[in-house]
Amino acid sequence: MKRIANTIRDIKEYPSALIGLSIIMILIAVSIFAVIYMPYHRAIALWKGADNIWMDNPRNASPAWVNLLPGINIPETIVVDSAGQPGIKTITPIAAETKTVDFRLGFDYTYGEFPKEINIFFTAQYEEIPPHLDLIWHTPDGRSISLDSQTPKHSSTYRVSQSSRLQRRTGGLTPHIGLLAKPGSKPEVPLQGKYELEIQGLTFEEAADFEVKLVVYGHVHGLAGTDHLRRDLLVALLWGTPIALAFSLVAAVGTTIFGLIFAAIGVWYGGWLDGLVQRLTELTMILPALPIYIMVGLFVSRSIWVILLTVILLSLFSGSKIYRAMFLQIKEAHYIEAARAYGAGDFRIILRYLIPRIIPTLIPGFVTAIPIFVFLEASLALLGVGDPVLPTWGKVLSEAQANGALHMGHYYWVLQPAVLLLITGLAFAAFGFALDRIFNPRLRGL
Amino acid sequence: MQNNVLLEVNNLKTYFEMKKWGFVSIGHVRAVDNVSFNLKQGEALSVVGESGCGKTTLARTILGLYRPTSGDIVYDGKSINEFSKGEIKAYRAQLGYVQQDPYGALPPFMDVRRILAEPLIINGVKSRQEQEKLIERALTDLKMTPVEDFLPKFPHMLSGGQQQRIVIARAKILGPKLIVSDEPVSMLDASVRIEILQLMRQLQEEYDLAVIYITHDLSTVRYFSERILVMYGGKIVEQGPVQEFLDNPSHPYTQALLEATSDPDPKNAETFKKVPGGEPPSLLNPPPGCRFHPRCSYMIEGLCNREEPPDFIIKENHSAACWLYR
Ligand SMILES: Nc1ncnc2c1ncn2[C@@H]1O[C@H](COP(=O)(O)OP(=O)(O)O)[C@@H](O)[C@H]1O
Ligand SMILES: [Mg+2]
């Protein structure tokens, strides 16, 4: 207890350690938050992105906080949905079972830039005959432009931006520009004010009904932006934290503990066992780790846990050369002889007398080893053997790279995971180096 | 019980094989060579000899830490040669061991409570309460009170004398009948030596302990033991009761030792090492005949350098391995 207290007191004298430690604390807090706020299965499902759950998000949108910078007003996504507004529909029966259903979806457009895209989503309930809809676009200056008529299936999408018929009617401009452009402006600027989408519907069945959702996509989204599949990057950045920490921590513990135990066993029993441990250590020293990870990723499984197991298996004996040198010295300590004299068995001596003696010396190295494994996960993802389902920082980077994020100017896509990786690495490194300075002067007389 | 033999050492030899390049044997270091003696229950025995004469090896062999090369140790009527690996462990736990360097003898990463609990845990004292009780008693016996002040301390927070008391407390916490203490005070400040020895003497009398007190410092022997045993070059050259021994030292080596330490001031203890001229014998290639003969002023040509002297009785319980008494 005293020791821990002393260590903490010493840490206070190293500002870099304090900063490192605070960042580590924050990362841990974020991890806990991520796991509670977005349980594992939900995170996986979101990242898989089935059932069009991301359809209301723009593609490749930058983080929304850029709008907080002064003088910047980049369009955000506008969603207007009839489903949430009971009573806006005017329903008039005109014949047996046939009714007209009219309503308008309005929104204010205040941005100086055009939206990224416009989609209109329909959901309709009917038995046999789908409703028929005429869509009219009303601009703030009183013009009306008819959009393409729709006969929506139970659920369907009208991709306004991709309609070439509409493009002819908007003066050859891409529809989401043409619909919002100030008449006569060159280059086009958006006309600000209240727009309305008028829906004139006809339903042909007693119980038939439909809902319309207009989505005017912005250029920014959420805290972290979106990727090419409209997925919110926050999912991956948030969930990447616990995964990175867990992976690297387990890897660091696994690689240290086993090397330690094997070295201790070799030294304590000596003879052929020591020889065996040493030969295996030399063998693992010459094995090329990265190609083996890649092969495991390609031929066995890309699961992060399989890779983790490979990392640990490959390093079962790593480090035991250094540990061996330390143990050889400690083995001769008189307190070990005393322990034998009061009847301590081999395993008790290895676990309680040999290993605890060198653990303090290992802690700094252990902490500095953590970023190696954080980066390893990212590197493997970049090399195409990242976990197929988990949202990780490395996955974000590799998808950004695969989709030419930097060529297309989507810097946020690369920078956010990269900065997180760097910060994590630096935090553990700063903390580890400070621990080294604190622990090692005292243990020089080992 | 007073006169029962607790430990019987018969023709004990502990040799270390010396190897060249890791595998070619170049002979044996005869660290303990044909040593025999008895120890009664509750008896304090001093083993004296210059550094390198095999005292520590003798201690470790008695403690079961080295297997004897030949000969036998009989403890409480049982020969340790017949013990299995498990029985050897149990046997070791019945003896207490006090080492020379108290700081090295204590695991630096354990506090006093843990250090004293370890032998108890290993030897099946599972109950916490029982452990606490024994630890408290051991510390109180060594005058380390209030006990609570010492329990959470780590070895580096204690003085040398306190460390050695913890080592002694640990040696006696399992209630052994025999404690082997190997130069227990040689690394301590002269000021605390007498105090520690007196404490050990008190414990020995209070608990009727048998103690083997190993030292190279004859001046402290008088404080401590009834009987003395002088080692030279892996062999016992003289043994006898302390008083008889002091009055009538018989072996030329012993005489030289005693001359050197007639001054009871412990500070002069170091000087005796140099006194008998010449070098201690090589244990790898010991001199033929009596091992002391190259340094002995009474050497009998043709006898001492040819034949090994047997033990000659000087008086009851007092014998010397020297041809002068043939
Ligand atoms: N483990 C060992 N291996 C080889 N030689 C040893 C070993 N232990 C002690 N010796 C040798 O045995 C002799 C006696 O040593 P030791 O018993 O430590 O003497 P003392 O305790 O009287 O100083 C010395 O020559 C020493 O070098
Ligand atoms: Mg010694």
Side-chain angles (χ1 to χ4, degrees):
Chain A
M1 254 6 249
K2 260 256 173 62
R3 267 184 176 201
I4 296 171
N6 285 346
T7 309
I8 291 171
R9 204 193 49 218
D10 290 347
I11 286 173
K12 284 196 189 135
E13 285 165 27
Y14 293 93
S16 63
L18 274 186
I19 296 172
L21 193 59
S22 334
I23 296 176
I24 294 170
M25 291 299 179
I26 293 173
L27 290 171
I28 291 172
V30 168
S31 303
I32 294 170
F33 170 77
V35 174
I36 293 171
Y37 170 73
M38 197 186 286
Y40 178 76
H41 291 290
R42 176 147 171 76
I44 299 290
L46 283 175
W47 197 240
K48 210 167 136 210
D51 301 328
N52 286 339
I53 43 178
W54 295 118
M55 267 323 275
D56 292 354
N57 286 357
R59 284 178 205 279
N60 293 129
S62 308
W65 48 259
V66 294
N67 270 342
L68 296 178
L69 305 176
I72 294 187
N73 190 18
I74 299 174
E76 290 184 31
T77 302
I78 297 163
V79 181
V80 208
D81 193 347
S82 64
Q85 310 181 45
I88 62 158
K89 291 176 186 161
T90 317
I91 303 173
T92 325
I94 51 170
E97 310 219 317
T98 304
K99 288 169 283 186
T100 62
V101 180
D102 296 344
F103 58 94
R104 290 181 170 214
L105 299 175
F107 66 94
D108 265 318
Y109 200 78
T110 54
Y111 300 106
E113 233 180 292
F114 289 103
K116 201 155 203 170
E117 197 185 355
I118 295 177
N119 278 336
I120 302 174
F121 299 96
F122 305 96
T123 46
Q125 297 100 50
Y126 58 89
E127 296 286 322
E128 271 160 30
I129 316 166
H132 176 86
L133 312 180
D134 284 326
L135 305 173
I136 301 141
W137 185 264
H138 297 283
T139 60
D141 55 355
R143 288 170 297 130
S144 303
I145 304 163
S146 27
L147 310 183
D148 303 318
S149 297
Q150 301 288 320
T151 314
K153 303 293 179 306
H154 293 283
S155 139
S156 64
T157 308
Y158 172 29
R159 297 182 192 279
V160 176
S161 302
Q162 287 166 28
S163 165
S164 46
R165 274 193 288 160
L166 182 55
Q167 189 162 347
R168 265 175 257 134
R169 257 172 277 148
T170 52
L173 295 169
T174 315
H176 63 260
I177 295 176
L179 289 176
L180 284 96
K182 189 181 266 178
S185 59
K186 208 70 181 166
E188 293 77 18
V189 287
L191 180 66
Q192 296 178 346
K194 187 165 169 67
Y195 288 85
E196 279 184 319
L197 174 66
E198 182 182 354
I199 293 104
Q200 298 177 346
L202 269 180
T203 58
F204 308 101
E205 288 170 7
E206 178 68 53
D209 195 9
F210 64 91
E211 303 291 348
V212 177
K213 180 165 74 173
L214 168 68
V215 182
V216 180
Y217 295 95
H219 291 258
V220 293
H221 181 86
L223 271 178
T226 60
D227 65 3
H228 61 307
L229 300 175
R230 305 177 189 272
R231 292 179 299 193
D232 191 340
L233 286 177
L234 193 60
V235 174
L237 297 183
L238 258 186
W239 254 89
T241 317
I243 294 172
L245 291 189
F247 178 84
S248 51
L249 205 71
V250 174
V253 171
T255 54
T256 316
I257 290 279
F258 288 107
L260 207 59
I261 291 177
F262 285 122
I265 289 175
V267 165
W268 183 248
Y269 288 103
W272 65 269
L273 206 56
D274 193 23
L276 181 71
V277 170
Q278 286 196 71
R279 296 299 89 73
L280 287 171
T281 308
E282 284 148 16
L283 186 73
T284 47
M285 276 159 68
I286 55 161
L287 282 181
L290 197 58
I292 293 179
Y293 300 146
I294 294 174
M295 288 211 288
V296 169
L298 291 178
F299 300 121
V300 184
S301 159
R302 282 159 60 199
S303 156
I304 201 171
W305 306 118
V306 172
I307 299 285
L308 183 60
L309 193 70
T310 317
V311 169
I312 292 175
L313 282 180
L314 276 187
S315 59
L316 278 188
F317 293 93
S318 72
S320 45
K321 288 270 171 202
I322 314 156
Y323 307 148
R324 186 170 180 275
M326 296 176 168
F327 283 137
L328 280 174
Q329 235 178 1
I330 299 165
K331 185 189 178 184
E332 302 302 324
H334 286 131
Y335 69 81
I336 303 261
E337 185 186 50
R340 291 220 300 141
Y342 52 70
D346 294 329
F347 266 89
R348 193 171 186 91
I349 288 182
I350 290 171
L351 294 178
R352 301 262 182 171
Y353 291 79
L354 284 178
I355 292 178
R357 183 74 178 88
I358 70 168
I359 281 194
T361 29
L362 297 185
I363 288 174
F366 171 79
V367 173
T368 22
I370 287 179
I372 298 176
F373 297 106
V374 176
F375 292 145
L376 175 67
E377 188 276 325
S379 317
L380 291 177
L382 270 176
L383 290 169
V385 285
D387 191 284
V389 292
L390 286 180
T392 67
W393 298 340
K395 282 297 275 188
V396 174
L397 273 179
S398 92
E399 282 171 5
Q401 188 218 25
N403 291 287
L406 290 180
H407 296 294
M408 309 203 328
H410 303 317
Y411 299 108
Y412 69 94
W413 200 357
V414 175
L415 284 181
Q416 294 180 118
V419 164
L420 280 172
L421 280 166
L422 280 179
I423 285 181
T424 310
L426 284 176
F428 280 102
F431 186 51
F433 291 144
L435 283 184
D436 200 27
R437 271 171 278 158
I438 292 164
F439 276 93
N440 280 339
R442 267 199 219 147
L443 293 164
R444 219 150 261 164
L446 187 78
Chain B
M1 288 293 276
Q2 192 57 42
N3 282 338
N4 278 4
V5 172
L6 177 66
L7 181 81
E8 220 179 290
V9 175
N10 298 320
N11 306 98
L12 187 71
K13 294 182 181 173
T14 307
Y15 292 179
F16 299 108
E17 193 168 14
M18 292 305 277
K19 286 178 180 168
K20 215 170 163 179
W21 307 312
F23 55 93
V24 182
S25 176
I26 55 166
H28 292 88
V29 176
R30 303 174 185 193
V32 173
D33 200 4
N34 218 2
V35 165
S36 304
F37 67 92
N38 286 348
L39 183 67
K40 296 192 193 93
Q41 175 117 25
E43 187 185 21
L45 170 72
S46 294
V47 177
V48 194
E50 52 193 343
S51 165
C53 70
K55 304 182 299 290
T56 300
T57 308
L58 176 64
R60 288 179 180 164
T61 313
I62 290 171
L63 285 159
L65 294 170
Y66 291 150
R67 283 269 173 164
T69 309
S70 75
D72 195 10
I73 295 170
V74 181
Y75 177 81
D76 229 359
K78 277 171 268 148
S79 161
I80 72 162
N81 285 350
E82 288 149 26
F83 286 164
S84 69
K85 209 177 168 220
E87 285 169 323
I88 275 279
K89 248 169 40 183
Y91 163 74
R92 284 183 199 145
Q94 289 175 42
L95 312 188
Y97 184 22
V98 177
Q99 288 149 299
Q100 186 171 9
D101 164 21
Y103 183 64
L106 298 171
F109 47 87
M110 292 187 189
D111 61 12
V112 168
R113 181 198 304 275
R114 178 87 209 167
I115 288 169
L116 294 178
E118 275 289 300
L120 299 175
I121 295 169
I122 289 167
N123 291 285
V125 183
K126 291 267 159 21
S127 130
R128 266 273 161 138
Q129 259 176 312
E130 184 79 355
Q131 287 176 16
E132 295 288 319
K133 213 181 80 193
L134 288 170
I135 290 171
E136 189 178 331
R137 192 164 88 199
L139 286 176
T140 315
D141 279 346
L142 283 138
K143 310 241 160 31
M144 301 208 52
T145 47
V147 170
E148 294 71 34
D149 288 359
F150 290 100
L151 288 178
K153 292 231 161 90
F154 285 89
H156 67 91
M157 305 170 180
L158 302 171
S159 71
Q162 290 171 328
Q163 287 168 354
Q164 195 59 299
R165 288 192 219 189
I166 298 294
V167 172
I168 297 167
R170 179 175 69 184
K172 72 158 291 289
I173 198 159
L174 289 165
K177 289 188 212 155
L178 168 62
I179 287 183
V180 179
S181 55
D182 186 1
E183 312 203 27
V185 294
S186 68
M187 292 186 69
L188 301 181
D189 279 354
S191 55
V192 290
R193 285 183 184 171
I194 303 297
E195 195 187 324
I196 296 277
L197 287 176
Q198 279 169 346
L199 255 172
M200 282 186 68
R201 182 71 182 173
Q202 268 174 33
L203 285 179
Q204 188 243 333
E205 283 167 355
E206 189 180 335
Y207 290 96
D208 196 27
L209 286 172
V211 174
I212 297 179
Y213 168 57
I214 294 173
T215 180
H216 65 242
D217 178 2
L218 257 180
S219 67
T220 57
V221 165
R222 339 170 182 229
Y223 290 98
F224 203 81
S225 56
E226 288 91 65
R227 205 146 64 87
I228 196 163
L229 196 148
V230 181
M231 265 182 99
Y232 183 80
K235 287 181 175 295
I236 293 175
V237 293
E238 182 164 356
Q239 53 178 312
V242 169
Q243 204 47 52
E244 160 74 13
F245 173 90
L246 293 173
D247 296 343
N248 184 20
S250 304
H251 197 283
Y253 175 64
T254 327
Q255 290 168 1
L257 272 187
L258 270 175
E259 255 162 60
T261 44
S262 52
D263 184 351
D265 183 348
K267 271 188 218 130
N268 293 352
E270 272 71 32
T271 56
F272 90 92
K273 277 186 246 160
K274 301 171 221 135
V275 170
E279 287 293 305
S282 153
L283 296 179
L284 194 58
N285 295 304
C290 172
R291 288 188 183 174
F292 187 60
H293 84 256
R295 293 163 86 183
C296 183
S297 41
Y298 306 99
M299 201 259 280
I300 306 162
E301 186 61 44
L303 180 63
C304 294
N305 56 354
R306 291 257 173 80
E307 290 191 48
E308 223 177 277
D311 285 339
F312 292 100
I313 305 294
I314 312 289
K315 222 179 183 180
E316 207 202 342
N317 292 332
H318 183 191
S319 64
C322 178
W323 286 118
L324 292 176
Y325 306 97
R326 76 201 126 132

